Each structure stands twice: as C-alpha cells, then as structure tokens.
Amino acid sequence: MIISISSGKGGTGKTTIGTNLALSLEGVQYVDCDVEEPNGHIFLKPQIEERISVGIPVPQVDKSKCTYCGECAKVCEFNAIVVVKEQVLFFPELCHACGGCSYICPEDAIEEVEREIGVIERGKAGGIEFVHGILNVGEPMAPPLIRTEKKFIDNGKTVIIDSSPGTSCPVVEAVKGSDFCLLVTEPTPFGLNDLRLAVEMVRKLNIPLGVLVNCCDIGDKEVWQYCEYESIPVLMEIPHDRGIAEAYSKGIPLVEEIPEYRSRFQDLYNQIEKRLQEESG
Amino acid sequence: MKELTVISGKGGTGKTTITAAFAALAQGQVMADGDVDAADLHLILTPRIKKEEEFFGGRAPLMDKDKCDECGICMELCRFEAIRDFIIDPISCEGCGLCMHACPNDAITMEEKFSGHWFISDTRFGPMVHGKLGIAEENSGKLVSLVRQQARLIAEEENKDLIIIDGPPGIGCPVIAAMTGVDLVLAVTEPTLSGIHDLERVLGVAGHFSVPATVCVNKFDINTENTEKIKEYCRERNIEVVGEIPYDPIVTKAMVAGQSITEYDSGVVTDIIKKMWARIETGLGNGFER
Ligand code: SF4
Ligand code: SF4
Ligand code: SF4
Ligand code: SF4
C-alpha cells in the first residue's frame, strides 16, 4: 500500500507525521518526494548506501550539421531553444526534455545529452528502507526528479511518500498513484484555506483521503466543520506541545520523545487500511 | 522602484504573517502575492477585486478521435506517458506538442490552456496583485512572473516606489520566479534542524541568482542553540539577521481575527517586526550588501 502525506500549507507537520508513521510500522519504505526541501533524513538518520545522479536529456546541437533552419525553435513550446542568425541558443532551465527538437530537426543535428537536475539517495534507517531526492539548488524543475524517484518504490512494502506543500505540479507528481492521501493541517484560517485546495487536488486525482489535525488546540474549530460538511474523516489529532516542538527542532522523532505515540500512529495506519478495505469491498 | 520578496524555503515559518505586517507598516507600496498555489495573504489583506483576468499558461493537446487511426506513434514518442489507449491524460501531459508534430494524420492540435486567474485588487494598505493557479496546473512560475509584472506596472502608474512580494515555499520554479532580479530577499526561518537545512538551500538559490538576502528567525526561543547556529551561519556569509521573533500564541489569534499582528496587538512581536521593518526600509534605500 502507498500512503502519501501532503498538505496545502507548509509547516503543518507533514514530515513529522510521515517519519513517525514510518517509525511505528513494520516493513516500511519511506520515500521523501519533497525534493525541493527534503527533511525526512533529519529525523530518520538513514545510512546512505547508494547515490544516483538524475539527469534529463537535453539537446546539444552539432554545428557542423546545423543549417540554422529554425525548425527546432518552432516546435519548442517552452522557448528553450532559439535560433538567431547563425546561432542556436539553448536555455537549459526552460527545457522540459520532451525530445521535440531532436525529433523535428531535418539535419539530424541534435543529439541529446544528460543534464543533472538532482540526486537520489537510498539507504536504511533501522528497518526502514529510505529513499529521497534532492533537487540541485537553482534548478526549477522538480517533477522529472520525482518521477525518477518513484521508480524506486517497492510495492511489497508499506510505502510512505512525503510530498512538498501546495497543489501544483511537484505535489501532483508525488501524490499521483498512491492508494491513500493523508492531508496534514492546522486549525487556523491559513490551514483551512490551504486544506480546501489540497482536498480539491486529491479529489481530482481520485485518491481516497483523510485529514490529520496538528496543533489541534490552537486557532478555531472551522477545520472540523469543513471536514464534517465534506464527509472527510479526521483520523488523528495532535495537540500543540512545546515539548514536541522542541524535540522537533532537534530532529528527535515524536515517537522517541513520547513513546505512547507509537500506538497512536499504528492506530492511524489501521484506520487507513480499514477504510481502503471498505472502499474496495 | 524597489522589490522585496519574503520567502521561507520551508513552508509555515510565518512568512505570510510577516509579509502582512509589512503591508501594514510600509507606506506607498504595492503588494504582490507570489504564492499562486496556496495563497494566504488575501485572508489578512481581504482584497476587493477590481479586475479579474484569465491566465493561459501554455498549450495542451486535443485529439480528434475521427482522424486518429490508432497508429500509436504519439504514445510511443510521448516522454511523459501521458497518452494511454489513445487518450491524453491532462494531468501527466507537459504540453510539449511532440504528439501533434508526430501524428501522421493531423489528429492532434494544440489549444491555449486556461490555467488560472490573476487579480488586481484594493486593500486597506493599497493595491495588491495576486493570482490563483488552477488545481493541479503547471506553470506557476509563469503566473508569478505575470503577477510581478502587473505589480510593477501599477507601481509605475501610481508612482509607488516599493513592491512587497509574498513568496512561495520551496526552491523550485515559482520561487525562482518570485526572487530573480529583486532588490532584497528576506528569508524567514525557524530554529529547527529542518528549518536550518531549508534556509541553507533557499539562500543558495538567492546566491545562485545574485540576489541580496537577509534572514529573520521566527520562534527563535524554541531552540536558542539552533538560533545561534543560524546566526553563526549568516555571519560567516555576511548575511544580516534582521530580526528574532519569539514564539507567541498571539500571532495565531491575530490570524484568526483576520488582522495583521501589528494591527491586532502592540506587544513584543509587533515591536520586533516594526524594528525589523525599519531596518529593511533603510537597507533597501542604501542597498544591502551581499
Ligand atoms: S532544426 Fe536542426 S538544423 Fe534546424 S536550426 Fe535546429 S538544430 Fe539547426
Ligand atoms: S527538448 Fe523539448 S523543451 Fe527542450 S529544447 Fe527541445 S523542444 Fe524545447
Ligand atoms: S503534448 Fe507532449 S506531453 Fe502532452 S501528450 Fe503530447 S507528447 Fe505527451
Ligand atoms: S499519432 Fe495520431 S493517428 Fe497515431 S495514435 Fe496518435 S493521434 Fe492517433
């Protein structure tokens, strides 16, 4: 089973939930798809065993063959390749690596070369199989890295995917294909506003979802009203606690600081499993 | 004209709270919400929309079933596995157009794709430009650039010399779009190991694009040791820490009341944000060092 953890708003505790859920279960693979700001390793402290450079195929023009006909620039939907007089200019940060230019070039002048956009690291954190992607700094495009990372998913395990916050392409890429999506929110106006957007996104992807309310005793009650109205199950609540916040700040997992939480996270998992069984049965 | 972008790397560090407070403190500015994905600034600034425009972020393929003879060429060539059983999945499609060029039967055309909205509004602190990307849409960077461009136009028209941009979380394309070419980036962080990790990455992006940066440590008292580490890190790189804000539940109360913290309360948090703003304002005038 693949459970993705997401949230419209950042900083609601997505990584806390993902890592602690992983630490509370057996046979887990933890896949950190928040490649812009991966944090799971801070809490799980994995032994990295393998480092894989991830690149995307981008065009390289062979000047001896190029006739500067401009066809490549015409097909590129992203203005990543431009032909001016006797020169082909390439803007790597705009290139989606679609292969359109090399396909169209009548002179066979375009060859594709790998351009690194990030790395994937794999390893073990105790019994947990750990995978994360790290986008290179200055690199705009996270989705190709996430796509590659998801090829390492081990379907024989309970897979926990941590996504980045928001509702746009990197989040969709991370959440897509999971069996269940857990949305982490805070009971504040910002939290609710962003939860609504996240719910819309997950529904668009046709994935069953549930909500976890973190810092459940701050703010107001509107998140619960919203969830009731939308028939969204609130699967767990965690109060605001300075002790938890301090442990978090040091990179200490919640289940290590307060071991009772282990059974609460197991219960969370059981609820998700039960819901999925009901849905398929 | 000066542009200031408030960013956070890691989300949820209090970036929008601080941006909203700056909106209340600054004078003669245009506000721009660069978080077009999960925007929150409007919850505090309650904009009255004056103008609403559609945003077309790119093109998307449309397949004419009558012309398609199911040759399968498009499926084979598409690098994003976006065509399955001769049906295009709009969520996986990147809009590259390769399928259109490759189709021997001209069964695919590329159509302008509606991807969201952008708005020009009035707020109690002056004009604001903001956007709303459609759910699961791409091209957030393009919409952020458009929001910034509109904000600049308004600033020119109305003779305003400052634009304050609320940036998105992360380090990817919308963040790059929100910070390239601005005069100053304020990175709001928390003294947690993840906060530090993310701060280093987002400052790396600012450095990569040669944008001067300053730092604010929010909830600094949650872990004073980490706060010291952040200050040390910034000192080594000649980055000024312009403010340290303590944890205070009043911040959430102000948010629930729909007010900026400086409007809601005159306590210690407000005090610190005011000093921070004063420092940034003079710094913007004189140019921050990098
Ligand atoms: S399509 Fe090929 S030949 Fe024409 S300008 Fe591009 S690289 Fe050169
Ligand atoms: S690979 Fe695609 S996106 Fe990149 S330059 Fe060629 S046509 Fe443009
Ligand atoms: S436009 Fe590009 S990504 Fe979309 S279906 Fe066609 S080939 Fe695939
Ligand atoms: S390439 Fe054209 S004709 Fe062939 S399957 Fe695709 S749409 Fe149909």
Side-chain angles (χ1 to χ4, degrees):
Chain A
M1 174 164 53
I2 303 175
I3 302 173
S4 54
I5 320 261
S6 194
S7 68
K9 178 172 152 45
T12 54
K14 218 171 16 70
T15 304
T16 303
I17 306 309
T19 50
N20 283 289
L21 188 59
L23 287 165
S24 305
L25 304 174
E26 303 284 322
V28 171
Q29 185 189 33
Y30 175 86
V31 184
D32 194 344
C33 286
D34 185 355
V35 301
E36 293 179 49
E37 302 288 17
N39 284 156
H41 66 279
I42 293 171
F43 300 92
L44 295 177
K45 306 172 184 73
Q47 288 287 335
I48 298 299
E49 290 159 1
E50 192 185 0
R51 212 178 132 87
I52 307 144
S53 159
V54 177
I56 55 174
V58 299
Q60 192 175 54
V61 177
D62 180 344
K63 280 188 178 164
S64 66
K65 290 186 185 166
C66 176
T67 58
Y68 308 101
C69 69
E71 283 301 315
C72 52
K74 233 196 278 168
V75 294
C76 182
E77 290 280 332
F78 312 107
N79 301 318
I81 193 160
V82 177
V83 182
V84 278
K85 287 189 193 138
E86 302 273 281
Q87 227 182 341
V88 182
L89 304 174
F90 175 58
F91 303 96
E93 62 289 348
L94 298 176
C95 175
H96 287 231
C98 71
C101 50
S102 59
Y103 173 82
I104 218 82
C105 175
E107 310 296 334
D108 222 359
I110 299 180
E111 195 198 339
E112 291 192 312
V113 291
E114 286 273 303
R115 185 174 76 86
E116 191 190 86
I117 56 164
V119 295
I120 289 172
E121 291 182 332
R122 301 175 66 190
K124 287 212 170 53
I128 301 169
E129 272 213 41
F130 180 92
V131 185
H132 70 177
I134 309 166
L135 187 70
N136 285 352
V137 163
E139 192 59 56
M141 255 172 284
L145 179 57
I146 300 171
R147 266 198 293 276
T148 310
E149 192 185 349
K150 286 178 82 176
K151 296 205 174 113
F152 293 101
I153 283 180
D154 177 354
N155 279 309
K157 301 220 170 224
T158 298
V159 180
I160 296 171
I161 293 181
D162 196 351
S163 86
S164 46
T167 62
S168 66
C169 27
V171 191
V172 170
E173 202 61 58
V175 171
K176 202 164 75 175
S178 51
D179 299 300
F180 190 88
C181 182
L182 182 66
L183 294 173
V184 182
T185 190
E186 266 172 24
T188 62
F190 287 7
L192 175 60
N193 178 62
D194 301 348
L195 174 64
R196 278 203 174 99
L197 301 172
V199 166
E200 237 187 280
M201 173 202 71
V202 180
R203 286 195 169 152
K204 203 165 170 172
L205 295 173
N206 263 317
I207 296 170
L209 64 102
V211 162
L212 185 150
V213 186
N214 199 5
C215 297
C216 63
D217 44 359
I218 64 165
D220 53 23
K221 291 285 160 235
E222 286 193 36
V223 160
W224 284 272
Q225 287 163 13
Y226 164 77
C227 287
E228 198 184 322
Y229 182 76
E230 290 282 338
S231 315
I232 297 168
V234 175
L235 299 174
M236 188 170 170
E237 294 169 6
I238 299 176
H240 174 76
D241 175 332
R242 204 170 161 118
I244 296 179
E246 277 167 23
Y248 173 87
S249 76
K250 295 180 204 145
I252 300 170
L254 177 53
V255 294
E256 272 170 31
E257 184 75 11
I258 314 173
E260 291 88 82
Y261 268 98
R262 213 172 278 267
S263 63
R264 292 199 60 194
F265 279 106
Q266 284 159 358
D267 178 57
L268 170 67
Y269 176 79
N270 292 337
Q271 285 188 65
I272 293 173
E273 208 176 26
K274 201 164 140 241
R275 281 190 175 269
L276 288 177
Q277 275 164 4
E278 280 168 10
E279 210 146 307
S280 60
Chain B
M1 190 197 306
K2 301 282 180 186
E3 285 180 292
L4 164 73
T5 300
V6 186
I7 49 164
S8 67
K10 179 176 147 53
T13 56
K15 169 180 64 68
T16 301
T17 295
I18 288 171
T19 313
F22 285 177
L25 294 172
Q27 236 120 71
Q29 85 280 19
V30 178
M31 299 302 299
D33 195 341
D35 191 347
V36 296
D37 181 7
D40 286 328
L41 190 61
H42 65 279
L43 296 172
I44 305 299
L45 300 190
T46 50
R48 289 173 304 278
I49 294 171
K50 287 197 308 192
K51 181 170 155 188
E52 174 172 347
E53 295 279 342
E54 293 184 331
F55 167 66
F56 294 89
R59 301 203 297 167
L62 192 74
M63 196 191 280
D64 182 346
K65 278 268 154 205
D66 294 337
K67 288 188 182 168
C68 170
D69 67 2
E70 308 204 336
C71 71
I73 290 177
C74 56
M75 298 200 296
E76 206 177 294
L77 284 175
C78 173
R79 294 212 174 151
F80 308 98
E81 289 166 32
I83 313 181
R84 257 176 237 141
D85 299 327
F86 313 103
I87 294 169
I88 298 171
D89 166 20
I91 289 178
S92 297
C93 174
E94 296 257 328
C96 70
L98 179 54
C99 51
M100 173 190 72
H101 293 288
C103 176
N105 298 317
D106 286 330
I108 297 176
T109 49
M110 294 294 284
E111 311 282 332
E112 285 291 319
K113 187 174 167 208
F114 167 72
S115 332
H117 285 100
W118 59 274
F119 316 93
I120 294 178
S121 301
D122 269 336
T123 75
R124 60 190 184 282
F125 310 120
M128 167 170 171
V129 186
H130 43 133
K132 177 74 206 81
L133 196 70
I135 299 290
E137 284 296 341
E138 297 180 15
N139 273 315
S140 47
K142 236 175 162 176
L143 184 51
V144 172
S145 304
L146 196 137
V147 163
R148 277 185 62 191
Q149 181 201 345
Q150 290 298 325
R152 278 195 294 270
L153 285 177
I154 293 177
E156 270 164 31
E157 266 167 33
E158 303 190 9
N159 263 324
K160 298 189 181 285
D161 52 16
L162 175 66
I163 298 171
I164 302 177
I165 302 157
D166 191 11
I171 63 162
C173 79
V175 181
I176 294 172
M179 70 157 86
T180 39
V182 300
D183 299 278
L184 182 68
V185 154
L186 173 67
V188 182
T189 187
E190 276 175 11
T192 61
L193 291 185
S194 16
I196 295 175
H197 176 260
D198 296 351
L199 176 71
E200 289 177 7
R201 283 170 65 78
V202 85
L203 289 176
V205 178
H208 186 94
F209 293 100
S210 308
V211 182
T214 53
V215 167
C216 162
V217 188
N218 196 10
K219 305 183 188 170
F220 81 88
D221 49 345
I222 279 192
N223 188 327
T224 46
E225 221 174 283
N226 282 340
T227 298
E228 279 315 310
K229 274 192 206 144
I230 293 172
K231 286 161 75 177
E232 182 60 38
Y233 178 88
C234 290
R235 226 181 346 259
E236 280 165 15
R237 281 158 191 80
N238 224 350
I239 293 170
E240 188 175 330
V241 176
V242 287
E244 290 167 60
I245 303 173
Y247 173 74
D248 192 335
I250 195 93
V251 173
T252 305
K253 287 191 185 132
M255 189 202 291
V256 170
Q259 290 181 16
S260 70
I261 179 73
T262 50
E263 290 170 289
Y264 186 78
D265 185 62
S266 53
V268 51
V269 173
T270 292
D271 238 34
I272 293 167
I273 293 183
K274 276 185 177 161
K275 285 201 186 95
M276 189 160 80
W277 175 245
R279 172 68 195 112
I280 288 175
E281 214 174 15
T282 33
L284 272 174
N286 307 334
F288 266 89
E289 277 187 34
R290 151 112 236 133

